[in-house]
């Protein structure tokens, strides 16, 4: 198993690299990468049920859907992502403990006593530092995970929704765990760059006869195409979510009470009902509910319809938020 170290912090490119290596290559490889601040949801999750939509919008934190299942995670420039991709025997491909072992050993070499948790995570002192997930393609398996080195845990906690059950759906829900940073268990002079080098070099040593890989121009071209056509699209990152309903009660700035119910299928409004007892805006809300059917459940589409209505700017903002959180 040879090693590949990413030279980009672009989440879409790194996720596309994983998919390319799994589905379009026969190489057995471990791949390390660092993403810019972003939310990564599991393949079978409802994006809106997992994220604090208003917070990530205010802080310009993008959301991406990965190829594997499991829960939602936060990435930033101080979180190391590891990925093992290997050909094996059907029925024996997924093995969380086997792929976590070299990471545990690499941490042990730093003097850190980390353990493999019941939820297939890696823990230090009972706190999570790594979430793991797997995905199988024919006779190939991808196992990947996070390693929180010195991530901003306040952003992590604010970005993820604490109660995903507010949305009615059948999607896989994340299980929130107490997290900590690996940097708390090493000398302060040991930097994130040092950590990445240590993990990469340890894995090269762990897998005998392994070498550092690089991707050729044709491979990079294919990866960019996957990134463009899949991981940078609203259809994959949001629209792929399972069918869901969102019922919400809220107040406008004027004190008017609103009750809304929406149903979203493949990222598109299929049902919308907005009720209020205030006669001055009742018709505008009814027209909005009727006109929104068939539109994508995204900010731009909804704002276009809101701005075309007779509602005020402050009313528009409240109603927009009501459609997402």
């Amino acid at each position: 198993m040879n090693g590949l170290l990413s030279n980009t912090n672009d989440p879409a490119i790194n996720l596309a690299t994983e998919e390319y290596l799994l589905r379009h290559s026969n190489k057995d490889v471990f791949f390390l990468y660092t993403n810019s601040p972003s939310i990564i949801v599991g393949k079978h999750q409802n994006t809106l049920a997992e994220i604090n939509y208003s917070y990530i919008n205010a802080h310009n934190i993008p959301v991406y859907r990965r190829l594997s299942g499991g829960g939602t995670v936060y990435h930033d420039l101080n979180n190391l992502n590891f990925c093992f991709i290997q050909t094996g025997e059907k029925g024996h491909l997924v093995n969380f403990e086997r792929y976590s072992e070299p990471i545990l050993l690499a941490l042990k070499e730093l003097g850190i006593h980390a353990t493999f948790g019941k939820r297939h995570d890696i823990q230090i002192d009972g706190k999570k530092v790594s979430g793991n997930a797997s995905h199988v393609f024919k006779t190939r398996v991808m196992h990947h995970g996070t390693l929180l080195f010195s991530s901003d845990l306040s952003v992590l906690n604010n970005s993820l929704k604490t109660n995903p059950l507010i949305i009615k759906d059948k999607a896989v829900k994340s299980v929130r765990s107490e997290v900590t940073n690996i940097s708390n268990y090493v000398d302060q002079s040991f930097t994130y760059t040092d950590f990445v080098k240590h993990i990469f070099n340890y894995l090269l040593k762990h897998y005998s006869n392994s070498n550092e890989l690089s991707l050729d121009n044709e491979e990079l071209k294919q990866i960019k195409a996957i990134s463009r056509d899949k991981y940078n699209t609203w259809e994959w990152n949001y629209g792929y979510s399972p069918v869901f309903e969102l019922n919400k009660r809220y107040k406008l700035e004027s004190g008017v009470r609103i009750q809304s119910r929406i149903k979203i299928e493949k990222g598109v409004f299929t049902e919308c009902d907005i009720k209020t007892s205030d006669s001055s805006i009742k018709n505008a809300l009814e027209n909005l509910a009727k006109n929104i059917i068939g539109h994508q459940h995204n900010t731009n589409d909804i704002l276009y319809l809101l701005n075309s209505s007779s509602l005020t700017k402050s009313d528009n903002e409240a109603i927009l938020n009501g459609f997402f959180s």
Side-chain angles (χ1 to χ4, degrees), residues 13 144 197 258 315 322:
I13 290 291
H144 55 183
K197 288 179 180 178
I258 301 290
D315 287 348

Side-chain angles (χ1 to χ4, degrees), residues 28-300:
D28 289 348
V29 59
F30 65 84
F31 172 47
L32 300 186
Y33 61 93
T34 303
N35 283 334
S36 57
S38 50
I39 305 288
I40 314 296
V41 301
K43 181 178 182 180
H44 306 294
Q45 292 194 295
N46 182 341
T47 300
L48 287 174
E50 297 294 331
I51 61 174
N52 183 340
Y53 187 82
S54 58
Y55 180 87
I56 68 164
N57 264 10
H59 293 81
N60 297 312
I61 302 172
V63 178
Y64 300 90
R65 187 184 299 277
R66 64 176 182 268
L67 197 58
S68 66
T72 298
V73 291
Y74 171 73
H75 290 179
D76 66 12
L77 294 172
N78 291 296
N79 168 78
L80 178 62
N81 300 284
F82 61 88
C83 177
F84 299 98
I85 297 173
Q86 198 168 22
T87 299
E89 182 183 349
K90 283 187 176 181
H92 301 278
L93 293 168
V94 176
N95 191 321
F96 283 83
E97 287 193 64
R98 182 177 73 197
Y99 289 112
S100 295
E101 182 183 14
I103 302 298
L104 291 170
L105 292 173
L107 293 174
K108 185 178 180 181
E109 199 170 77
L110 293 174
I112 300 171
H113 177 63
T115 57
F116 183 71
K118 293 180 180 179
R119 291 198 173 99
H120 299 155
D121 54 7
I122 293 174
Q123 301 179 357
I124 301 175
D125 289 343
K127 297 178 181 179
K128 183 176 177 179
V129 296
S130 172
N132 288 247
S134 288
H135 180 76
V136 171
F137 176 72
K138 296 182 179 180
T139 58
R140 305 261 295 162
V141 63
M142 173 181 71
H143 176 102
H144 55 183
T146 57
L147 283 168
L148 295 170
F149 183 77
S150 56
S151 289
D152 190 330
L153 300 186
S154 65
V155 177
L156 181 155
N157 290 323
N158 284 319
S159 296
L160 306 182
K161 188 167 285 184
T162 56
N163 181 17
L165 298 178
I166 193 172
I167 290 179
K168 183 180 178 182
D169 62 18
K170 295 182 180 180
V172 174
K173 303 294 190 297
S174 295
V175 179
R176 305 292 177 225
S177 304
E178 187 177 2
V179 296
T180 190
N181 276 315
I182 293 167
S183 60
N184 294 330
Y185 299 87
V186 294
D187 191 274
Q188 288 186 347
S189 62
F190 189 75
T191 66
Y192 179 72
T193 301
D194 295 331
F195 180 66
V196 174
K197 288 179 180 178
H198 170 75
I199 297 295
F200 190 73
N201 289 331
Y202 183 88
L203 292 175
L204 284 174
K205 181 176 66 176
H206 179 82
Y207 295 102
S208 56
N209 301 317
S210 62
N211 296 297
E212 186 171 351
L213 288 177
S214 60
L215 300 172
D216 61 35
N217 289 335
E218 179 57 31
E219 289 174 315
L220 292 172
K221 181 180 177 181
Q222 292 188 53
I223 288 167
K224 286 180 180 178
I226 296 170
S227 169
R228 180 193 65 235
D229 298 338
K230 184 172 185 176
Y231 293 100
N232 269 317
T233 67
W234 178 90
E235 287 77 9
W236 172 249
N237 296 323
Y238 283 89
Y240 190 83
S241 295
V243 176
F244 70 92
E245 289 186 17
L246 174 59
N247 295 279
K248 190 76 181 291
R249 293 182 179 182
Y250 54 95
K251 284 184 181 180
L252 302 183
E253 194 175 81
S254 61
V256 172
R257 295 179 182 274
I258 301 290
Q259 182 175 344
S260 67
R261 183 188 69 83
I262 62 173
K263 185 175 182 180
I264 308 296
E265 298 184 38
K266 295 182 179 179
V268 173
F269 284 90
T270 57
E271 296 179 22
C272 182
D273 186 26
I274 314 173
K275 294 180 179 178
T276 181
S277 59
D278 190 291
S279 59
S280 67
I281 61 170
K282 189 174 182 179
N283 287 339
L285 293 178
E286 288 177 351
N287 286 332
L288 172 65
K290 180 178 65 176
N291 293 333
I292 208 167
I293 302 301
H295 281 269
Q296 289 185 342
H297 185 226
N298 65 48
T299 301
N300 290 338

